[in-house]
């Protein structure tokens, strides 16, 4: 999973070049999917238009599946989303995956008044004007299946092609997991974002699952992990994660991922910040490849997951690439 991190002085061209490098590297390692997240108004992340970026990657990869994890349904009219997804699928020869997310990751930078409820307000306004999450997903599925009525009474005609594989991506139990179960869709869970609620979400999903697109439940779990040749080097690379996460989630501090030396010069997290980020900090898996792979396998086993998705943040692209390579090798030896 690529969040498209932007370093100090980084540009849009750097985001594109790094993603090409990462996608090709993932494909060379034999990985199944390359997911790109969607974020807006977040200076440290360049994943502002996953569809556009994945279309660029389509011609630079040949086997790996290319997916959005997850498109923010409230921000995209279903017809536009369906049309874009069909073109993406055509561009990559039917290798497209489209994750549908309810969480509002689009946000405005924090203000001096600490207006932390603004994302929720924006979400409410968007849903009021453009329809509920479930309603918009329903319309998207009808469009892709050729069952959405048009103005003349006949179905809306999209470009002929292979529709993308649809996923529901969720942070925990609730509407998204229930929607995936009701429509027989695969479910992707962001353990790295809301680790305390994924087990409840999986149970809810499996208990309510009705065969549809899939005959049986299918779960992918996304974990934040980082591997290096030694535990000491892994800890060094992981040193800046707490302040990077603080900047990403709480809009406090630098937006980029600092090196260990840069981290040492920055203030420690406050007690309140640690409390708010504790789960995400505690559940990140860091260490030597074999140790990390074993902990990841334990998460997969606990959730009885069908797929494992890895999100990795480091100060430099080369360190991310090496981490994926080390983990791929260690995982194959389990």
């Amino acid at each position: 999973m690529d969040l498209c991190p932007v370093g100090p002085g980084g540009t849009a061209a750097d985001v594109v070049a790094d993603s090409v490098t990462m996608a090709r590297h993932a494909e060379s390692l034999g990985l199944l999917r390359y997911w790109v997240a969607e974020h807006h108004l977040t200076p440290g992340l360049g994943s502002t238009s996953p569809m556009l970026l994945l279309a660029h990657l389509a011609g630079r990869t040949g086997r790996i599946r290319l997916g959005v994890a997850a498109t923010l349904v409230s921000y995209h009219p279903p017809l536009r989303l369906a049309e874009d997804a069909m073109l993406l699928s055509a561009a990559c020869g039917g290798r497209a995956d489209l994750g549908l997310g309810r969480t509002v990751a689009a946000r405005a930078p924090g203000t001096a008044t600490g207006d932390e409820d603004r994302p929720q307000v924006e979400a409410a306004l968007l849903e009021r004007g453009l329809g509920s999450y479930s309603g918009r997903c329903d319309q998207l599925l009808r469009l892709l299946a050729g069952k959405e009525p048009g103005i003349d009474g006949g179905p809306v005609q999209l470009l002929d092609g292979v529709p993308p594989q649809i996923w529901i991506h969720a942070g925990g139990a609730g509407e998204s997991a229930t929607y995936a179960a009701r429509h027989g869709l695969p479910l992707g869970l962001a353990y790295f974002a809301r680790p305390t609620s994924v087990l409840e979400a999986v149970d809810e999903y499996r208990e309510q699952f009705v065969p549809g697109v899939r005959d049986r439940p299918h779960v992918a779990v996304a974990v934040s992990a980082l591997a290096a040749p030694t535990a000491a080097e892994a800890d060094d690379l992981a040193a800046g994660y707490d302040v990077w996460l603080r900047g990403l989630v709480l809009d406090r501090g630098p937006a980029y991922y600092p090196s260990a030396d840069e981290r040492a010069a920055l203030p420690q997290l406050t007690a309140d910040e640690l409390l708010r980020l504790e789960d995400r900090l505690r559940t990140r898996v860091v260490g030597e490849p074999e140790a990390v792979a074993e902990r990841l396998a334990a998460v997969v086993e606990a959730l009885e997951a069908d797929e494992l998705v890895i999100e990795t943040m480091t100060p430099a692209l080369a360190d991310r690439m090496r981490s994926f390579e080390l983990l791929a090798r260690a995982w194959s030896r389990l």
Side-chain angles (χ1 to χ4, degrees), residues 320-333:
R320 278 200 293 150
M321 294 176 63
R322 183 180 62 175
S323 178
F324 276 107
E325 183 171 356
L326 292 172
L327 282 179
R329 291 176 180 174
W331 188 263
S332 69
R333 292 193 292 267

Side-chain angles (χ1 to χ4, degrees), residues 195-217:
T196 58
S197 62
V198 294
L199 192 57
E200 180 185 355
V202 167
D203 290 342
E204 181 180 76
Y205 171 64
R206 291 201 171 103
E207 288 171 3
Q208 300 183 31
F209 187 85
V210 177
V213 176
R214 294 263 183 172
D215 294 331
R216 57 176 295 276

Side-chain angles (χ1 to χ4, degrees), residues 257-279:
Y257 193 112
S259 67
D261 290 340
E262 291 171 325
R263 173 65 188 91
L266 296 170
Q268 297 298 313
L269 271 62
T270 67
D272 173 67
E273 290 168 345
L274 282 170
L275 181 63
R276 296 177 66 179
L277 301 176
E278 178 186 10
D279 283 347

